[in-house]
Amino acid sequence: MIIEDKMKLEQKCSPVSVKEGEEIGVRLLHELRQSENGIGLAANQIGINKRVCVINVKEPLVLINPKIVEKSKEQFVFPEGCLSFPDSKVKTQRHQDIVVTADNHDGKLSFSANSKDINDAFECVCVQHEIDHLDGITMFDREFKSEPLVRGVNAPLKIGRNEKVTLTKGSESKILKYKKAESLMEDGWVLAK
Ligand SMILES: [Zn+2]
């Protein structure tokens, strides 16, 4: 049973031992496989408020007490879904590169969306989405809101030089002042609508 109550999902999860975490991981992967198109699940989504989550994009991955220890300044916009909110899709902003530690993995795990393989982006987003769950954060808290370009029905499209705009290129996006955006627009970047 997957929890769909937003209030319950806004509670932080507590650290767990590796042994207990592994047992929870098995249950989570089982539950994830029952879902139609889920790629990740956090323990609090099945009513266990412990810091364990699973990701299954390229291969099943269990993370026990995971922490994001490095994240890139570069962010990108991605359409996300969540098994707890089956009817919602949200455009979120996520870090392009992250480095994660977890108690059940030696060393560090790196994830990068800066790759030709779209699965790398899915995995990188999913890890950030699931770790957020453990902190009581849902995808709605990460929603990307682009700046409106046209402010009234008859307002002309006019952007000040110091006004911040959002540019996108493929799955990447940047927010910067319009005067700095102009040169990038010659390089294939387009203004977000
Ligand atoms: Zn979710």
Side-chain angles (χ1 to χ4, degrees):
M1 255 285 285
I2 291 184
I3 307 256
E4 298 187 4
D5 181 338
K6 193 159 181 284
M7 294 270 278
K8 279 191 185 155
L9 291 169
E10 282 169 352
Q11 291 166 17
K12 273 196 169 198
C13 297
S14 351
V16 66
S17 69
V18 170
K19 187 174 177 291
E20 192 186 348
E22 279 168 351
E23 288 162 12
I24 296 169
V26 170
R27 288 180 58 185
L28 285 170
L29 284 173
H30 176 76
E31 191 76 41
L32 187 60
R33 289 195 182 101
Q34 313 278 304
S35 76
E36 219 165 89
N37 45 19
I39 57 172
L41 195 62
N44 48 343
Q45 288 181 279
I46 60 167
I48 304 170
N49 274 24
K50 297 287 172 72
R51 301 190 72 83
V52 185
C53 61
V54 296
I55 289 94
N56 193 1
V57 177
K58 301 205 274 190
E59 56 184 355
L61 182 64
V62 176
L63 299 177
I64 300 171
N65 303 319
K67 276 195 193 91
I68 296 179
V69 291
E70 283 174 50
K71 52 195 174 194
S72 64
K73 263 194 207 151
E74 292 80 24
Q75 300 203 0
F76 67 112
V77 175
F78 205 78
E80 281 184 40
C82 179
L83 288 174
S84 289
F85 308 102
D87 301 325
S88 300
K89 278 262 180 262
V90 178
K91 253 193 192 177
T92 60
Q93 194 159 5
R94 296 288 184 186
H95 297 283
Q96 181 187 278
D97 306 277
I98 54 165
V99 178
V100 172
T101 60
D103 287 354
N104 59 326
H105 291 272
D106 290 330
K108 293 173 175 178
L109 302 165
S110 297
F111 302 93
S112 175
N114 190 13
S115 144
K116 288 210 168 87
D117 183 356
I118 188 71
N119 284 325
D120 288 327
F122 272 109
E123 192 174 53
C124 184
V125 168
C126 190
V127 170
Q128 293 177 70
H129 177 120
E130 302 314 329
I131 293 177
D132 267 352
H133 270 306
L134 304 179
D135 289 319
I137 296 168
T138 68
M139 62 180 183
F140 302 105
D141 301 314
R142 301 287 187 196
E143 189 170 0
F144 170 74
K145 294 187 181 86
S146 57
E147 311 251 329
L149 293 180
V150 180
R151 287 169 198 81
V153 180
N154 296 312
L157 180 62
K158 198 174 170 214
I159 305 168
R161 307 243 325 132
N162 284 314
E163 202 168 327
K164 287 202 174 156
V165 295
T166 301
L167 290 183
T168 59
K169 186 180 182 181
S171 61
E172 290 175 75
S173 81
K174 301 179 189 235
I175 296 173
L176 69 180
K177 285 184 179 171
Y178 185 61
K179 62 184 177 191
K180 290 191 177 155
E182 284 172 309
S183 62
L184 286 173
M185 285 160 71
E186 286 161 18
D187 198 29
W189 289 80
V190 289
L191 273 178
K193 291 263 155 41

